[in-house]
Amino acid sequence: MNGGGEVQVLSVCGSLQERSANRAVLDVVGAAIVDEGAHVDRYDDLGDLPPFNPDLDEPGDAVRDWRARIEAADAVVIASPEYAGSLAGVVKNALDWIVGSGELYRKPVGLISAGTSGGYHARRVLVQTLTWQGAHVVASLGIDAPKTKSDARGVITDRPTITDLAAFARLVVRAASRNARWRLDLVRTVVTDAGVDPEHIAPLE
Ligand SMILES: Cc1cc2nc3c(=O)[nH]c(=O)nc-3n(C[C@H](O)[C@H](O)[C@H](O)COP(=O)(O)O)c2cc1C
């Protein structure tokens, strides 16, 4: 929580494209998070992170900033494109940078993938890698055919999609503020649905 007692949510855009469906859905999610009385920190700098190298003892400012922004958040939302049946490489690279430092350990995370098919495979792999590094993935939402749900500028305008994204935002904020057992029930459902062994879920204590 920040000084004002608000839940802080870090919103991470996994696309480097200037015009991005994933960034467009994060616009909607960010507004809904604010409507829930929480604060949003938007992280759009994945392209600044160097390729992960465990030999680097001093990884530099971009990695330090990435780790600090996660550390300061009560919950994280990641929106990743699906490329060739998996998550975007820049997202995996960023997650590799925090395996050792552990900023996501037991942190609630909500996943979205906007793209052709709704990014089922990107989200499945993300659930696996996040769970293996101890994050609590509380929600996973696919937005398929985003162009059909947007206006000419790429802004999401489809009402049912906006409703789904608002429900997703509400759940992430609640997962950060409500009791941890309720959160763990959500995590078990997401992890099991993704076909990942629930044995890998980080315990509450
Ligand atoms: C190289 C490449 C590979 C892609 N592979 C997939 C894929 O495997 N599955 C899928 O649903 N969409 C795939 N897409 C479509 C992207 O997910 C889609 O363009 C999405 O909107 C990209 O995210 P962005 O708009 O936020 O940049 C691919 C696109 C590119 C450029």
Side-chain angles (χ1 to χ4, degrees):
M1 313 267 167
N2 64 16
E6 287 173 331
V7 168
Q8 301 240 60
V9 181
L10 183 71
S11 152
V12 180
C13 181
S15 173
L16 303 186
Q17 289 201 90
E18 198 171 322
R19 180 161 169 169
S20 153
N22 284 281
R23 197 172 297 108
V25 299
L26 287 178
D27 289 342
V28 178
V29 169
I33 288 171
V34 171
D35 285 347
E36 290 295 314
H39 176 82
V40 183
D41 177 21
R42 293 193 67 159
Y43 184 89
D44 210 345
D45 301 325
L46 290 184
D48 294 343
L49 295 172
F52 176 61
N53 180 351
D55 284 345
L56 289 180
D57 294 330
E58 182 37 72
D61 288 346
V63 173
R64 259 194 301 277
D65 177 58
W66 166 235
R67 289 175 172 165
R69 303 265 289 273
I70 301 172
E71 183 71 39
D74 301 300
V76 177
V77 170
I78 300 173
S80 173
E82 179 169 294
Y83 293 141
S86 191
L87 74 165
V90 288
V91 178
K92 181 64 165 66
N93 182 54
L95 295 177
D96 289 344
W97 274 114
I98 53 169
V99 172
S101 50
E103 285 79 6
L104 274 178
Y105 194 68
R106 290 195 189 124
K107 197 152 286 199
V109 178
L111 301 179
I112 306 179
S113 184
T116 318
S117 63
Y120 171 78
H121 299 287
R123 290 181 291 115
R124 180 177 52 77
V125 178
L126 266 166
V127 170
Q128 172 152 318
T129 196
L130 285 163
T131 303
W132 282 37
Q133 59 184 251
H136 282 163
V137 184
V138 294
S140 172
L141 178 65
I143 305 295
D144 63 355
K147 277 189 189 149
T148 67
K149 295 164 179 168
S150 314
D151 68 14
R153 291 169 304 140
V155 175
I156 305 284
T157 49
D158 179 60
R159 275 282 133 207
T161 303
I162 291 170
T163 302
D164 288 348
L165 291 167
F168 170 93
R170 195 173 314 122
L171 194 143
V172 170
V173 171
R174 289 184 185 171
S177 49
R178 276 214 191 155
N179 87 51
R181 289 202 180 282
W182 177 77
R183 181 210 299 175
L184 217 49
D185 287 343
L186 297 175
V187 176
R188 276 198 206 93
T189 303
V190 173
V191 166
T192 308
D193 286 353
V196 175
D197 185 350
E199 283 293 311
H200 289 284
I201 298 172
L204 287 178
E205 286 166 32

